[in-house]
Amino acid sequence: MLLSLVVGIATAPLLTWAAVSSQTYNWANVKIGGGGGFVPNIVFNPSQKGLAYARTDIGGVYKLNSDDSWTPLLDFVDNARWNYWGVDALATDPVDPDRLYLATGMYTNSWDPNDGQILISTDQGATFTPSPLPFKVGGNMPGRGMGERLAVDPNMNSILFFGARSGNGLWKSTNFGASWSKVSSFTNTGTYVPDPTDTTGYNSDKIGISFVTFDSTSGKSGSATPRIFVGVANLGSTNVFVSNDAGSTWSAVAGQNSTYIPHKGVLSPAEKTLYVSYSNGAGPYDGTLGAVQRYNITSGVWTDITPVSGSDLYFGFGGLAVDVQNPGTVMVAALNSWWPDGQIFRSTDGGATWSALWAWGSYPQIFKYYTYSDSKAPWLGPDTDVFDLGTLQIGWMMEGLSIDPFDSNHWLYGTGATIYGGHDLLTWDTTHNVTLESLADGIEETSVQNLISPPTGPPLLSALGDIEGFVHNSLTTAPAAEYSNPAWATAADIDFAGNKPTNIVRIGTGDSSTGKQVALSSDSGNSWSQDYGAADNVTGGKVALSADADTVLWRTNGNGVLVSQYTNPFTAVPTLPSDAEIASDKLNNSIFYGASGSKFYISVDGGHTFTSPSSLGASTAPFKVIVNPGVTGDVWVSSDVGIFHTTNSGQSFTQLAGPTEAWGIALGAPAKTGGYPALFAAASFGTQTGYFRSDDEGVSWVQINDAAHGFGSLSSNCISGDPRIYGRVYIGTNGRGIFYGDASGSAPPTTITSTASSSSKTSSASSTSSTKTTSSSSSSVKTNSTSSSSTVKSSSSTVSSTSTGSAPGATQSAYGQCGGTGFTGPTICASGSTCTVSNPYYSQCIPS
Ligand SMILES: *[C@@H]1O[C@H](CO)[C@@H](O)[C@H](O)[C@H]1NC(C)=O
Ligand SMILES: *[C@@H]1O[C@H](CO)[C@@H](O)[C@H](O)[C@H]1NC(C)=O
Ligand SMILES: *[C@@H]1O[C@H](CO)[C@@H](O)[C@H](O)[C@H]1NC(C)=O
Ligand SMILES: *[C@@H]1O[C@H](CO)[C@@H](O)[C@H](O)[C@H]1NC(C)=O
Ligand SMILES: *[C@@H]1O[C@H](CO)[C@@H](O)[C@H](O)[C@H]1NC(C)=O
Ligand SMILES: *[C@@H]1O[C@H](CO)[C@@H](O)[C@H](O)[C@H]1NC(C)=O
């Protein structure tokens, strides 16, 4: 009874499989090498030399190695625990450096139904134990670069405080994070929301508490630290609080200036001073004004030490660092100086005077007090990319800035795209010329939209969120350049032609540029041309290229299904539903396939008309349609009830007996030459969920992922089989880049126990909570000359939908900012000037 049931139309399987055996796979990232997404903070342990962690918003946490590379710590995260990859805060224990705490959870709105948790490690992140919280944590929410909101008492490390979002207040643990209780005496839980009108809840939820900072000097080892500072996301009302009795009672710090929202509160122990950076937004995209203040704890005096003023101040402040070995040395990053570049300031006298990382010469000359090196990720640097983010090289979204407490020359900062830093920081104070290096080696944070592995040419081509994607000629070397000419921040999909596999089609999402969003290549993605058949501003969705490469079928995002042959104007395909999954036959140029709802569709006239010969059983949501590259009409469809197979162009389907729900599916090289391609599936077999391979057309399976490789949300991921190497599969994740896996040793005999059941299709254990809601996307940018590319993480549509918060009728003066992602100021220019888009993040009033 191991065979699937073959019937005229698909029927629910009558079996559940109790267990599918597994095969050991070797998994590694396909190297991109430069991060590829927002790094909200980098935290050094103050007690153990060289120990540091970087947290990301959608891709977990990394630990620093002595050779500047990073090791991921949350690769065990699987579908059921997908929200662990959203890391909103991190604390490394100053007393016992083996202890590490992460506050995890992805969203506080409906996109993430799960509450958050503190992940506790006692072995520097090798293993974690979750401690559940009774509220949500928002690792990919606005304000995620603030903090840290989570802190370990430096005198009594069993005590931790965590500042929650959403008005949930301040929480305390006295048992190393094992359990938490609310600090009821802390009542000012934060009122600021970026956009109260946002009905998704993403920008209308309270940011809450921004930081918790212990004053280590106020206590002594072995007893609870008396003085604790807490920053709260309030704009224009009291927002820095202090306790002098270890958190029993709280009061506002006297004399504070609460004009802006405090982002970071960093203690300089030798100076007994708290430094605070402020912005008028929650970040990470916004912020047009801000301040830096220092608070002398001894005297109780606040001093404004904002590095710039007047028209030079057009950003907030985020990243803030002190050099604990050189009291008085402090650095602060402009959170977002979109033009002409990001900016970082350094002072060696406690903020009395500052120097900057660059300065204007006589316009447009810029003195760069740094030497730029992107050798670890050459694609970050100048290439032929399209988005004109002008001169941006230093970065943006700079909320994480740290100086190594054991090495004053070593510093790191996170941007929207990567980690930069260097090992000669002290030259800032002598020759004033530091080496700025790309230091994100090992961090793979991309959101993968799709992957193809054609039978000839490069082994892999990717379509990525925010940084377009790459031709991966090597899986182990960082690529030199992204796709270009045309390029769009996010590539939505990519496909190759079966008979002419060096011919590739790629589509964009319109997130960073308007205009045509279809590109064609005939040389495996090395060079591209615009498909002039595409209409301006039609974007996104899925794309399929016909077998002979002359016809593009395009299921757009919001403009229905379109088709074009020979780059003629795209025309509507009303016979295929606008939410259909699509695929091209890999041999017959006239044939395309589709699936929507419970129906399968086929076109035999080059995609002009589709008919539906059959249904897909009880499916309501097909996920993926794939085609045997060697046999026309041999098609597989995954759906919410399993996997379906036809060998007669959809006249009839077989539903496989094992899978009860399936997402990504792919075909790869056969086990035996000339045999049927290996079938890969991200699927559930009843309660067993993961990644599987079948060498016999879906009759028997082995699980190929393991407890150390979970790949996060199943429904966000894509998979592709390698047609040249048996066993090899590529998995594209939402936030942890691309993995490739190779079989190690032989597959064990399949051990399948079957249990008669008539209700097998009702229980899919995997439905826990994966949502595709949000590939956190970023956007990549490039200039044609000296500057670098970089990535901006934007929660795609959610962020771009932010509406303006400025008063109706307010106008911006000439040369002022009038738009851009997250910008909430006036969008109308004073008369005589026109609001002109410089880049997705910055529009400026240019005098006409
Ligand atoms: C508070 O800060 C704002 C912004 O930096 C500044 O304009 C204002 O003068 C300050 N208020 C006081 C009382 O210093
Ligand atoms: C803080 O204030 C005290 C008392 O006025 C003073 O002695 C000390 O030098 C100040 N600290 C710094 C770092 O300026
Ligand atoms: C810093 O050094 C680099 C490399 O030598 C040089 O190109 C750059 O002009 C220097 N910056 C300044 C402001 O002198
Ligand atoms: C495309 O969108 C841009 C920006 O909204 C707009 O200016 C332009 O007119 C649009 N083009 C077409 C053909 O609709
Ligand atoms: C491709 O399929 C169409 C429709 O079934 C058929 O008419 C045609 O002969 C096929 N072409 C080839 C080359 O097999
Ligand atoms: C980019 O190239 C254009 C066209 O050659 C040129 O006008 C522009 O100055 C270049 N931009 C930079 C930043 O060099």
Side-chain angles (χ1 to χ4, degrees), residues 389-598:
L389 259 182
T391 50
L392 281 172
Q393 180 174 55
I394 293 166
W396 54 87
M397 295 164 65
M398 285 141 55
E399 287 267 41
L401 171 63
S402 299
I403 302 171
D404 187 334
F406 291 88
D407 179 358
S408 300
N409 266 315
H410 183 205
W411 65 304
L412 294 167
Y413 70 92
T415 76
T418 190
I419 292 175
Y420 287 118
H423 290 278
D424 61 1
L425 182 55
L426 290 173
T427 65
W428 187 311
D429 309 327
T430 54
T431 61
H432 198 187
N433 201 327
V434 296
T435 308
L436 208 58
E437 300 175 72
S438 156
L439 292 176
D441 183 20
I443 294 182
E444 295 290 343
E445 200 197 339
T446 48
S447 170
V448 185
Q449 308 301 302
N450 205 5
L451 298 170
I452 54 170
S453 180
T456 59
L460 187 71
L461 290 90
S462 56
L464 301 178
D466 314 343
I467 58 167
E468 304 166 49
F470 300 96
V471 177
H472 300 273
N473 290 305
S474 162
L475 305 181
T476 54
T477 308
E482 298 154 89
Y483 299 131
S484 59
N485 194 26
W488 315 286
T490 290
D493 199 11
I494 187 165
D495 192 25
F496 68 90
N499 294 331
K500 298 181 174 179
T502 60
N503 287 65
I504 316 285
V505 64
R506 169 171 63 91
I507 56 171
T509 60
D511 50 3
S512 304
S513 58
T514 54
K516 303 180 191 315
Q517 302 278 311
V518 181
L520 298 166
S521 171
S522 57
D523 59 3
S524 297
N526 290 307
S527 65
W528 297 87
S529 59
Q530 195 94 58
D531 184 338
Y532 286 99
D536 284 358
N537 300 346
V538 178
T539 69
K542 298 287 169 73
V543 73
L545 187 58
S546 69
D548 295 343
D550 61 33
T551 304
V552 175
L553 181 67
W554 183 14
R555 192 219 75 195
T556 67
N557 185 9
N559 286 280
V561 183
L562 308 173
V563 70
S564 160
Q565 190 175 25
Y566 304 127
T567 71
N568 284 309
F570 278 84
T571 55
V573 183
T575 47
L576 191 60
S578 59
D579 67 349
E581 286 298 314
I582 59 172
S584 55
D585 194 76
K586 292 300 172 195
L587 296 171
N588 187 313
N589 194 53
S590 305
I591 298 181
F592 288 92
Y593 308 100
S596 169
S598 64

Side-chain angles (χ1 to χ4, degrees), residues 257-260 290-291 293 304 306:
N257 184 326
S258 59
T259 304
Y260 304 125
Q293 301 263 342
D304 186 323
T306 310

Side-chain angles (χ1 to χ4, degrees), residues 251-336:
S251 57
V253 178
Q256 69 183 275
N257 184 326
S258 59
T259 304
Y260 304 125
I261 302 168
H263 276 230
K264 305 271 177 186
V266 175
L267 183 80
S268 174
E271 297 177 278
K272 278 182 93 74
T273 292
L274 182 75
Y275 290 90
V276 183
S277 61
Y278 296 86
S279 176
N280 65 348
Y285 315 97
D286 55 2
T288 52
L289 283 171
V292 185
Q293 301 263 342
R294 52 175 291 167
Y295 175 66
N296 183 326
I297 295 170
T298 310
S299 64
V301 172
W302 287 90
T303 307
D304 186 323
I305 56 166
T306 310
V308 288
S309 61
S311 61
D312 292 334
L313 181 59
Y314 51 90
F315 40 74
F317 294 91
L320 180 64
V322 299
D323 179 350
V324 293
Q325 298 199 48
N326 289 301
T329 293
V330 54
M331 294 175 71
V332 67
L335 176 50
N336 284 304

